[in-house]
Amino acid sequence: MSVRTARTSRTRFLAATAVALAALTLTACNDGAGVRGEGPSDTSATSARPSGTASDAGTTAGSGTASGSGTTAKRAGDNTAGSSGGSKGTSTSGTTRGSAKKGGGSAKKGGTRSVACDGSTTKTTATPVTRPLNHLLLTVTNTGTGNCDLTGYPIARFGEAQSVPPVAEETHPQAVVTLAPGESGYAGVLLSAADGSGDNGYTAKTLEVGFGRGRGATPALPAEGVYVDDKLTVTYWQQTLDAALTY
């Protein structure tokens, strides 16, 4: 090979190398620019995402939360108004009228409060019974327009007796006998000892019954009268006939 040829080849190699280097440099520059060019774009996209998120959050806060708060506030307002209205209604109409009505009921009840029974508002009958033996049943019926109380026991005076019979303490009722209009109360009378062990016996044809206060009563006895002795005893006033005849 000649020197000239070698130089030409070297020159071409260097030229080719320079071209290749230039191309590499250009490519590197373009890639760098591309990277730098795309970097901001990616950065903008990345920045836009939070911005978009913020927008979404704003939308949520604005349309969702705010609207929800408004609805909640509205509901709260409705509830408050409803509660206030209900309270007002209860206070004004319900409670006041109810109290007035209740007060009227109490007054009415107070107006019909029971008084002691006596001969002016009752009718008293005396009926001999076959069981138990030698017993008389006293029945007092309320003929008045209000309730009355039969308290204690009958103060019974047979014929011309100077004293009244005692009461059998074991017959004391658990509560006062109250008679509504038309209702009756009862008392039993043991006239004489069933075995004939009584003393000072006599036949009585009249009977007076006292109530402890007020007017008494004079129920009729059978025409032949009733036989009594010193075993004569009465029961307390009772609510039922059976209770009056258990002694």
Side-chain angles (χ1 to χ4, degrees):
M1 178 184 298
S2 62
V3 175
R4 185 177 178 180
T5 300
R7 288 179 177 176
T8 300
S9 298
R10 183 177 181 183
T11 301
R12 290 178 178 175
F13 174 76
L14 293 174
T17 300
V19 172
L21 291 173
L24 289 173
T25 302
L26 181 60
T27 300
C29 291
N30 289 336
D31 291 341
V35 172
R36 286 191 299 272
E38 293 175 358
S41 177
D42 292 341
T43 303
S44 298
T46 304
S47 301
R49 190 175 301 278
S51 175
T53 304
S55 176
D56 293 343
T59 302
T60 302
S63 62
T65 306
S67 177
S69 299
T71 302
T72 302
K74 182 179 180 181
R75 290 177 180 174
D78 292 342
N79 291 337
T80 302
S83 300
S84 299
S87 175
K88 182 178 180 180
T90 302
S91 175
T92 302
S93 59
T95 304
T96 303
R97 293 178 183 176
S99 299
K101 185 177 181 180
K102 183 176 181 182
S106 299
K108 183 178 180 181
K109 183 177 180 181
T112 58
R113 185 172 299 171
S114 296
V115 297
C117 297
D118 67 14
S120 63
T121 57
T122 60
K123 178 181 179 181
T124 303
T125 61
T127 308
V129 296
T130 57
R131 292 289 183 274
L133 290 176
N134 302 339
H135 273 68
L136 188 72
L137 177 68
L138 298 180
T139 303
V140 176
T141 303
N142 184 357
T143 58
T145 58
N147 295 351
C148 71
D149 294 333
L150 275 176
T151 58
Y153 54 90
I155 302 171
R157 188 182 302 276
F158 287 85
E160 301 299 326
Q162 299 300 311
S163 63
V164 296
V167 63
E169 290 296 339
E170 59 268 33
T171 64
H172 199 294
Q174 294 183 349
V176 173
V177 177
T178 298
L179 304 181
E183 289 186 339
S184 298
Y186 309 89
V189 181
L190 172 61
L191 297 172
S192 60
D195 59 2
S197 60
D199 296 323
N200 305 315
Y202 64 97
T203 299
K205 293 188 176 182
T206 60
L207 172 63
E208 295 180 6
V209 177
F211 297 93
R213 65 180 67 182
R215 184 184 302 176
T218 55
L221 293 175
E224 67 276 15
V226 293
Y227 179 80
V228 298
D229 62 22
D230 58 8
K231 298 297 182 181
L232 183 63
T233 309
V234 298
T235 69
Y236 282 94
W237 292 113
Q238 306 292 329
Q239 195 76 56
T240 66
L241 182 151
D242 290 340
L245 296 177
T246 56
Y247 176 75

